[in-house]
Amino acid sequence: MTSPYRVCFVCTGNICRSPMAESVFRSRVAEDGLDGLVETGSAGTGGWHEGEAADPRTLAVLRAAGYPCAHTARQFRASWFARLDLVIALDSGHLRELRRLAPTPDDAAKVRLLRSYAVGAGPVTDPAGLDVPDPYYGGYAGFEECLDMIETACDGLLEAVRAEVTSGNPGPAEPRPGPHRPHHKESA
């Protein structure tokens, strides 16, 4: 593979869920020795927070779990599809919006829900059942809950991306069942 496999996580404003997912997945990629082969980014469907840092609660939850997070919010652009291999939506509303924004059917096929990669998620008839809920209007506990969901899904996402990167013919990483890795947490 000559160019890196590029993954972009997308939520609403790019200050809560998608920066969390980007930070967790980037750490998973580095731990797995794939950091030279996989690039990770994030964006929002809207531009309200462009240029801002992640929400302070996002940063606090990430720091408490031992994840680095240097982040500046940005809005997802349709032109990005051409350089991305996988676009990860954090909820079913983002999934629909991103697929509508996709310039081609092949680009729309690059969009997946993050929690569809959670090991043991099984078939889900309602995509909303795989949403990572927006913690913005709640308290710190909602951010912790989001981080737990994201960590679990990123384990399965890493397995799928690793399979694509090592296949020699990468495409959008399909969710596939696999072993569960323990969550990355700082030891107390």
Side-chain angles (χ1 to χ4, degrees):
M1 191 168 126
T2 58
S3 64
Y5 190 89
R6 293 181 176 94
V7 180
C8 185
F9 296 91
V10 182
C11 70
T12 306
N14 193 216
I15 61 168
C16 297
R17 294 170 286 177
S18 59
M20 239 187 250
E22 176 186 4
S23 185
V24 169
F25 191 65
R26 182 175 287 132
S27 292
R28 294 285 196 273
V29 165
E31 289 166 5
D32 208 54
L34 297 174
D35 45 349
L37 301 173
V38 179
E39 287 183 4
T40 304
S42 66
T45 56
W48 314 280
H49 298 287
E50 275 190 296
E52 295 177 19
D55 185 286
R57 296 164 294 179
T58 297
L59 296 172
V61 165
L62 287 170
R63 272 193 303 272
Y67 295 106
C69 184
H71 177 75
T72 302
R74 59 195 184 143
Q75 183 175 5
F76 189 88
R77 309 279 185 229
S79 62
W80 295 4
F81 277 105
R83 63 180 167 85
L84 293 169
D85 297 290
L86 193 57
V87 179
I88 301 293
L90 275 288
D91 71 30
S92 54
H94 306 133
L95 179 78
R96 284 188 303 276
E97 191 167 340
L98 288 163
R99 286 186 173 162
R100 276 195 302 268
L101 187 62
T104 69
D106 285 344
D107 290 329
K110 295 177 182 180
V111 184
R112 303 279 196 286
L113 275 170
L114 176 61
R115 288 193 62 215
S116 68
Y117 292 93
V119 176
V124 176
T125 56
D126 177 11
L130 294 176
D131 287 355
V132 174
D134 188 352
Y136 184 77
Y137 293 103
Y140 189 80
F143 285 79
E144 291 176 313
E145 179 185 346
C146 283
L147 180 60
D148 286 342
M149 290 178 179
I150 288 167
E151 287 179 319
T152 299
C154 280
D155 291 339
L157 176 59
L158 179 65
E159 297 297 322
V161 167
R162 183 188 309 110
E164 291 302 317
V165 168
T166 60
S167 75
N169 188 19
E174 295 292 333
R176 52 183 109 216
H180 232 5
R181 290 178 40 194
H183 295 296
H184 173 83
K185 298 278 184 184
E186 281 291 302
S187 45

